[in-house]
Amino acid sequence: MRRRGRIAGWLGAGALVLTACGGGGEGPARHPSEPARPSPGTSGFPSAKPAVTRGDGAELLHRESGKGSAQNPAFAPDGKSLLFTVFHGGYNEGAAALRVLPLGNRDGRDSRKAARDLLDEHDRAAVNLPGSSWRPSAGVTFASDRAGKDEIWVLRPGGRPERVTEHPGNSGYLEPSFSPDGKWIVFQESVERAAPDARAALADRSALGSLWKVRRDGTEQTRLVNGPASRTDNREPNWSPRGDLLVFQRRELGSDRWALYVMNADGSGVRRLTTVAGEHTDASWSPDGRSVVFSSTTGGLDLPKIFVMPVAGGAPVQVTREPGTYDGAPSWSPDGRWIAFESHPGSEDRPTSLWRVPAPGER
């Protein structure tokens, strides 16, 4: 499961701002010289040098230097770049920045130099959610506690951060994602409490997460799922491409197992999506809205891998298979060809790097 660290963040005076999103739709036009299918061992572009690939066909996109942990990849609306979070102190540790990595014609250059900062400030953090966190014209939505507590913010193309929410109490507003038209944002409300042990933490009803939606201008904030009242912890909501459904992860009070659920965008019609054994987290949508991609331990896996399954139901299909790695926080490219994800070898304490793998049917 992709666990989120301490949130803070703002746009420093010298930081770069988001440049305009290319195109006006969710799917990019294919480059005239781009092959119809990516070839194993290459980046999928004809002039690219051989890429670093794993045994399961996943290709390395970006690795930070030192302790930096690259997490939460989310494709730009035109598919030509990748938004992600960098935790400077390690996996979910320390301050964090939002960065963008151009994908384009990768020629073997050091991707650490190609990536550029969107938001970075000393001892602050800005964190995006994989999936629908970047929309044309609406920009990027992210969580930040720059104003004193975790709130939802947006960054327009070429602009500066704008605060969306402001709420009382000690809860945090986290994990935002956009509706397809960019007019609404869905997010989770969580309360972090100190507990004497894991059992006490799982039994703390007051710490159960709720789901909300709000207009991009901060109006009409509406609770969709009341976590404490339903005795459930609800997190990481992602809006479907058609705007009619939300996918999210849920655990029952007292349990440490996460399952995936879907519901209507107004909070009605909640139904469980994953029914097989295992822990299922980090869900986001395919571009056609028919499937979700997520991280799972189904099949008795010791470490999570990337899976895909139809929203209508059915057996999950395993996408990544590299032994000894954690694979999580996946996002589907707008053209449907790729799935980007974060990965590290084994221990959760190790920094993650960003990878992509051909989506099912694209191999």
Side-chain angles (χ1 to χ4, degrees):
M1 173 185 175
R2 185 191 63 80
R3 292 177 176 85
R4 180 189 166 280
R6 179 176 59 87
I7 296 296
W10 189 238
L11 180 64
L16 296 177
V17 294
L18 185 63
T19 57
C21 306
E26 292 298 303
R30 177 174 291 168
H31 191 281
S33 62
E34 187 177 351
R37 296 291 183 266
S39 301
T42 71
S43 67
F45 295 89
S47 62
K49 296 179 181 178
V52 176
T53 58
R54 308 191 314 192
D56 60 359
E59 171 193 330
L60 178 66
L61 290 177
H62 180 76
R63 178 179 287 134
E64 288 287 314
S65 60
K67 295 181 179 180
S69 185
Q71 302 177 209
N72 311 343
F75 282 91
D78 62 8
K80 296 179 181 178
S81 57
L82 201 66
L83 170 72
F84 63 101
T85 299
V86 176
F87 282 93
H88 297 305
Y91 190 72
N92 282 345
E93 294 293 336
L98 292 180
R99 289 183 179 165
V100 167
L101 176 70
L103 296 177
N105 189 359
R106 298 176 64 240
D107 57 2
R109 63 183 173 176
D110 188 345
S111 66
R112 289 171 294 185
K113 297 178 181 178
R116 71 181 190 275
D117 286 339
L118 295 184
L119 295 171
D120 199 2
E121 186 180 50
H122 177 68
D123 201 29
R124 302 288 182 182
V127 178
N128 72 287
L129 179 71
S132 306
S133 55
W134 191 347
R135 291 296 191 197
S137 74
V140 167
T141 183
F142 61 97
S144 168
D145 73 351
R146 177 61 176 81
K149 66 173 63 176
D150 294 326
E151 300 282 5
I152 305 303
W153 298 76
V154 294
L155 179 60
R156 290 182 182 275
R160 292 182 178 273
E162 303 169 16
R163 183 171 173 172
V164 176
T165 62
E166 184 173 359
H167 70 287
N170 60 356
S171 64
Y173 284 0
L174 313 166
E175 312 288 16
S177 75
F178 274 122
S179 62
D181 60 9
K183 295 180 179 179
W184 289 87
I185 298 171
V186 64
F187 60 93
Q188 74 183 52
E189 178 185 16
S190 298
V191 178
E192 300 293 335
R193 295 184 182 276
D197 53 41
R199 178 175 297 181
L202 292 175
D204 185 0
R205 180 170 171 175
S206 65
L208 298 177
S210 299
L211 299 182
W212 295 75
K213 69 176 181 180
V214 64
R215 286 194 176 275
R216 191 190 181 285
D217 62 7
T219 62
E220 298 185 46
Q221 183 169 317
T222 305
R223 184 162 56 189
L224 301 174
V225 176
N226 187 324
S230 61
R231 300 168 64 88
T232 60
D233 194 2
N234 306 274
R235 302 189 184 187
E236 300 194 22
N238 247 299
W239 219 304
S240 70
R242 293 191 301 177
D244 56 337
L245 296 175
L246 302 169
V247 64
F248 61 99
Q249 65 189 54
R250 166 181 281 186
R251 70 171 180 89
E252 304 292 331
L253 179 66
S255 172
D256 62 354
R257 288 290 181 178
W258 294 92
L260 300 184
Y261 285 74
V262 293
M263 66 180 176
N264 297 327
D266 62 1
S268 65
V270 177
R271 66 176 176 89
R272 184 164 176 163
L273 182 59
T274 53
T275 57
V276 295
E279 186 165 350
H280 318 292
T281 63
D282 300 352
S284 61
W285 295 86
S286 63
D288 62 10
R290 296 179 181 178
S291 301
V292 294
V293 60
F294 57 101
S295 183
S296 176
T297 59
T298 190
L301 295 173
D302 293 329
L303 292 169
K305 302 298 180 188
I306 304 303
F307 285 78
V308 167
M309 71 174 294
V311 177
V317 175
Q318 189 170 345
V319 178
T320 62
R321 297 179 178 273
E322 186 73 1
T325 64
Y326 149 80
D327 298 336
S331 292
W332 218 305
S333 66
D335 62 6
R337 297 180 60 212
W338 299 97
I339 293 172
F341 61 98
E342 65 183 33
S343 182
H344 60 58
S347 171
E348 185 178 280
D349 296 331
R350 300 185 65 175
T352 55
S353 51
L354 302 183
W355 298 73
R356 69 178 179 183
V357 66
E362 294 290 326
R363 296 172 185 263

